[in-house]
Amino acid sequence: MLKQNKKDKQDRHRWLLIGFLCLFGVCLVAQVRPTEQKTKATGTSTKSVADTSKTTKKQPENKKTKVYLLHADEGQADKLARPDVQVLIGNVKMRHDSMYMYCDSALIFEKTNSVEAFSNVRMEQGDTLFIYGDYLYYDGMTQIAQLRENVKMINRNTTLLTDSLNYDRLYDLGYYFEGGTLMDEENVLTSDWGEYSPATKQSVFNHDVKLVNPKFVLTSDTLRYNTENKIAVILGPSNIVSDNNHIYSERGFYNMTEQAELLDRSILTNQGKKLVGDSLFYDRLSGYGEAFDNVKMTDTINKNMLTGDYCFYNELTDSAFATKRAVAIDYSQGDSLFMHGDTLQMVSYNLNTDSLYRLMKAYHKVRMYRTDVQGVCDSLVYNSKDSCMTMYVDPILWNEGQQLLGEQIKIYMNDSTIDWAHIINQALTVEMKDSIHYNQVSGKEMKAYFENGDMRHIEVIGNVLTAFYPEEKDSTMTGFNCLEGSLLHLYMKDKKMEKGLFVGKSNGTMYPMDQIPPDKLRLPTFSWFDYVRPLNKEDIFNWRGKREGEMLKPTTDRRPKTNKRNLINMK
């Protein structure tokens, strides 16, 4: 009986203890629930503040929301060994904000709000961004995804391929660092390092950058490219190579519609021609290029050069013109010829035929210099068809001590050297002996023949007048010979008049040196224009016209007809 009472007393104590424990649990729950509600309320308030601050700060908002498991065929957890880790196997589907993640298996780390995903990894954000890979580590706190092996990012028409990609969801920016490829509708870009923003469509590439387009290949050290507007920004040494031309630039813009704006002494090379300038504009579709400031266009095939502060080149018509201190330089004969005019123009005819020829035009205030030949005129045209250079309006040529002038001068070339020259109307040649004595010959026209660049024979035709000083072998002048006739042959030696021979009837007088009449010292048309003669290659920019009253009055208008509209259209 005593034992039974003792047992009943123990049972009552046990039930009393259980009752206290239940009451304690109820109180604990009552305390926890208000705390959760307070936290939720606080969270709402925090979100409101965050939304307000978002409008004032440019930094993206990190909401630090939880990574949710939406589905898995099988789930495992070991609360003793790894209490914060969920092991998920088979058709795993997770979500973090608007980003959905899929894989074959995964680990969810609850404390760090992070995920490791394995095999057939896929990330989807809306219907515009898809990322694939073999492995993913996703940090829900920083919202940075690290994908490895066989990674593919697809954003509308843009695809990025790599083996190592980090994607920052806050900044909507993916970048690779072990080599990658970016592709859009027509371009394929590869580099060692690169980044791409699905939001702005802007990409940046560094180290061994290569852009392959069906029409050209661009290689660079640093490049920015926008997949939406198709503009590439060149930020380092770059080469753009196509079938017809080559561009080198270290800074500029290249539009995939085939327009380029290039800076910092960029170079455009096309079929043996090289165009350089402080800045270049090139339109591949329209087939023309413009160069600005310190321009140099070099033709390595024909060994000539065009310089100035502005140059226009049309590759479709193989035509060009230059202005602003424009200079044409011919260096085919070793000793360079420099020619300046207000405008220099080159026009090509009969392209893509065996009858191709070019016109080189210079106007106005044309001046040229080479150590053995100098010249001035108002305008000039060189025609490669007959290798003839024609000087218009008060042309003058100097060859050492010889001066040739007339209304028009035609110079016929042979392999870039003077073969012969034709002086038309009011022709005059003067050779300076000293400051007082000059050998002079005038006529209606003259033909001067050259050998190895030296004048050897002059044929004077029509109304010939001469004032000539014969010499002994020691260069002593023996008299003064005044003659006139209809046809004269003059022969030169060592760049001096050696002898003259009239054909047909001639008459004249030979005066001793001390009996020369003052009015016979100069022919009626005598002029010595040494003061307008270019002194060196820099002096070609300093125009010095003839003095008043010394300009020839032309008997015919032989000036070239230049149409300004044709200049613009390069016809």
Side-chain angles (χ1 to χ4, degrees):
M1 184 70 180
L2 183 61
K3 288 182 180 179
Q4 181 67 36
N5 291 337
K6 187 176 182 180
K7 184 179 180 181
D8 293 342
K9 188 175 182 181
Q10 286 176 347
D11 290 340
R12 284 195 300 268
H13 289 168
R14 186 180 292 114
W15 284 109
L16 184 62
L17 178 60
I18 293 171
F20 276 119
L21 288 174
C22 291
L23 181 61
F24 177 74
V26 171
C27 293
L28 184 62
V29 170
Q31 288 177 355
V32 170
R33 285 180 178 174
T35 304
E36 288 179 347
Q37 292 173 3
K38 184 178 180 181
T39 303
K40 288 180 181 179
T42 306
T44 306
S45 176
T46 304
K47 184 177 180 181
S48 177
V49 172
D51 290 342
T52 307
S53 63
K54 188 176 180 180
T55 60
T56 58
K57 293 183 180 180
K58 294 183 180 180
Q59 292 291 337
E61 180 189 359
N62 189 347
K63 298 179 181 179
K64 295 184 179 180
T65 54
K66 184 180 178 181
V67 175
Y68 290 99
L69 171 63
L70 302 182
H71 176 81
D73 291 346
E74 181 181 343
Q76 299 175 3
D78 188 340
K79 293 300 181 179
L80 294 177
R82 303 177 72 182
D84 67 323
V85 178
Q86 294 184 56
V87 180
L88 308 170
I89 301 172
N91 298 312
V92 181
K93 181 179 180 180
M94 299 166 286
R95 179 180 66 83
H96 188 226
D97 297 332
S98 58
M99 175 65 77
Y100 289 84
M101 293 169 278
Y102 304 84
C103 62
D104 287 346
S105 60
L107 300 176
I108 295 182
F109 302 90
E110 296 178 355
K111 281 187 178 180
T112 59
N113 197 32
S114 58
V115 172
E116 267 192 281
F118 307 90
S119 187
N120 294 315
V121 176
R122 183 170 88 253
M123 300 179 72
E124 294 183 6
Q125 186 163 289
D127 57 355
T128 60
L129 181 63
F130 303 88
I131 309 175
Y132 304 86
D134 291 345
Y135 171 82
L136 164 69
Y137 176 78
Y138 179 74
D139 189 331
M141 306 299 288
T142 62
Q143 299 192 43
I144 294 177
Q146 300 178 31
L147 295 104
R148 300 295 181 263
E149 303 301 330
N150 302 311
V151 181
K152 179 192 291 188
M153 172 187 279
I154 300 176
N155 176 229
R156 297 188 185 277
N157 296 324
T158 302
T159 301
L160 190 156
L161 303 176
T162 183
D163 276 335
S164 298
L165 176 74
N166 290 356
Y167 174 62
D168 191 325
R169 291 189 57 234
L170 284 177
Y171 290 90
D172 197 13
L173 186 67
Y175 54 93
Y176 59 85
F177 36 84
E178 293 181 350
T181 301
L182 182 77
M183 300 176 290
D184 59 15
E185 298 95 324
E186 57 181 13
N187 301 300
V188 178
L189 292 102
T190 58
S191 66
D192 287 347
W193 185 96
E195 67 178 34
Y196 173 71
S197 171
T200 63
K201 315 303 179 187
Q202 189 69 44
S203 53
V204 180
F205 305 92
N206 285 326
H207 311 303
D208 292 330
V209 183
K210 186 174 183 180
L211 186 156
V212 179
N213 182 280
K215 297 180 181 179
F216 64 89
V217 175
L218 186 157
T219 56
S220 179
D221 177 69
T222 305
L223 186 74
R224 281 209 309 258
Y225 176 65
N226 191 292
T227 59
E228 189 169 45
N229 58 29
K230 310 300 182 186
I231 294 177
V233 181
I234 297 168
L235 300 171
S238 304
N239 292 279
I240 305 170
V241 180
S242 67
D243 292 339
N244 298 322
N245 51 46
H246 172 264
I247 295 174
Y248 174 82
S249 181
E250 296 184 3
R251 188 163 68 97
F253 305 87
Y254 194 91
N255 194 323
M256 298 306 151
T257 59
E258 303 194 77
Q259 285 185 339
E261 294 181 43
L262 309 171
L263 309 172
D264 297 347
R265 304 298 295 166
S266 298
I267 303 170
L268 168 63
T269 306
N270 173 264
Q271 298 178 353
K273 297 180 180 65
K274 184 166 71 172
L275 180 63
V276 185
D278 286 355
S279 59
L280 299 179
F281 175 81
Y282 175 63
D283 190 319
R284 191 188 300 273
L285 256 167
S286 301
Y288 75 90
E290 291 179 285
F292 304 86
D293 300 322
N294 301 309
V295 179
K296 182 187 293 184
M297 187 170 78
T298 306
D299 186 342
T300 55
I301 297 174
N302 297 301
K303 295 185 177 180
N304 54 52
M305 187 183 304
L306 193 63
T307 67
D309 281 336
Y310 175 77
C311 185
F312 176 94
Y313 175 64
N314 189 323
E315 66 183 10
L316 300 181
T317 61
D318 193 21
S319 304
F321 73 88
T323 60
K324 299 180 180 180
R325 293 181 65 84
V327 179
I329 305 169
D330 181 276
Y331 56 92
S332 60
Q333 298 303 305
D335 190 5
S336 299
L337 172 68
F338 299 84
M339 182 173 64
H340 166 69
D342 291 345
T343 301
L344 302 180
Q345 181 185 8
M346 182 190 75
V347 183
S348 299
Y349 294 93
N350 298 337
L351 295 176
N352 303 318
T353 70
D354 295 334
S355 303
L356 170 69
Y357 68 95
R358 293 182 175 89
L359 288 183
M360 174 70 188
K361 301 179 182 180
Y363 49 89
H364 299 276
K365 299 180 178 180
V366 178
R367 290 168 66 79
M368 65 182 78
Y369 175 85
R370 195 169 71 184
T371 53
D372 59 337
V373 176
Q374 299 83 43
V376 298
C377 62
D378 174 72
S379 51
L380 176 151
V381 175
Y382 173 75
N383 190 335
S384 68
K385 190 174 185 179
D386 54 7
S387 299
C388 178
M389 181 172 70
T390 305
M391 301 171 67
Y392 297 92
V393 186
D394 276 323
I396 309 172
L397 270 181
W398 293 270
N399 175 235
E400 300 293 342
Q402 299 288 327
Q403 173 188 276
L404 293 170
L405 62 87
E407 288 184 24
Q408 185 183 106
I409 298 178
K410 288 180 175 287
I411 302 171
Y412 293 87
M413 315 293 289
N414 184 11
D415 291 334
S416 300
T417 59
I418 299 177
D419 188 22
W420 67 285
H422 190 188
I423 299 98
I424 303 170
N425 290 335
Q426 303 186 62
L428 173 69
T429 178
V430 178
E431 178 188 62
M432 183 180 184
K433 308 292 290 182
D434 54 42
S435 59
I436 298 174
H437 305 96
Y438 296 86
N439 287 333
Q440 309 151 60
V441 179
S442 69
K444 188 174 181 181
E445 60 178 308
M446 290 185 188
K447 294 179 180 179
Y449 301 92
F450 294 74
E451 290 183 16
N452 299 320
D454 294 331
M455 194 185 306
R456 295 297 179 87
H457 175 209
I458 301 176
E459 185 180 3
V460 189
I461 305 166
N463 302 325
V464 180
L465 296 176
T466 68
F468 181 72
Y469 295 91
E471 291 182 351
E472 297 288 351
K473 290 184 178 181
D474 61 357
S475 300
T476 301
M477 291 179 284
T478 60
F480 182 62
N481 200 351
C482 292
L483 294 168
E484 59 181 78
S486 59
L487 178 61
L488 171 66
H489 291 276
L490 285 173
Y491 296 93
M492 316 290 292
K493 186 177 181 180
D494 298 329
K495 302 178 182 178
K496 295 180 180 179
M497 290 186 185
E498 183 183 29
K499 63 179 180 179
L501 177 63
F502 274 96
V503 177
K505 185 178 179 180
S506 63
N507 56 74
T509 304
M510 178 74 171
Y511 296 96
M513 289 299 296
D514 57 353
Q515 297 179 22
I516 303 172
D519 62 334
K520 298 292 186 179
L521 282 173
R522 306 285 187 266
L523 294 181
T525 58
F526 171 83
S527 294
W528 184 247
F529 293 113
D530 200 50
Y531 64 91
V532 303
R533 185 177 188 173
L535 304 177
N536 48 54
K537 64 181 181 180
E538 286 78 25
D539 193 40
I540 61 176
F541 297 106
N542 303 318
W543 174 257
R544 296 184 293 275
K546 291 181 178 179
R547 298 187 185 106
E548 188 175 353
E550 292 185 337
M551 297 185 67
L552 292 178
K553 295 181 180 179
T555 56
T556 59
D557 185 7
R558 292 178 176 270
R559 289 174 296 178
K561 303 298 187 290
T562 302
N563 189 311
K564 291 183 178 179
R565 183 176 296 277
N566 288 346
L567 171 64
I568 296 172
N569 296 326
M570 303 304 298
K571 293 181 180 178

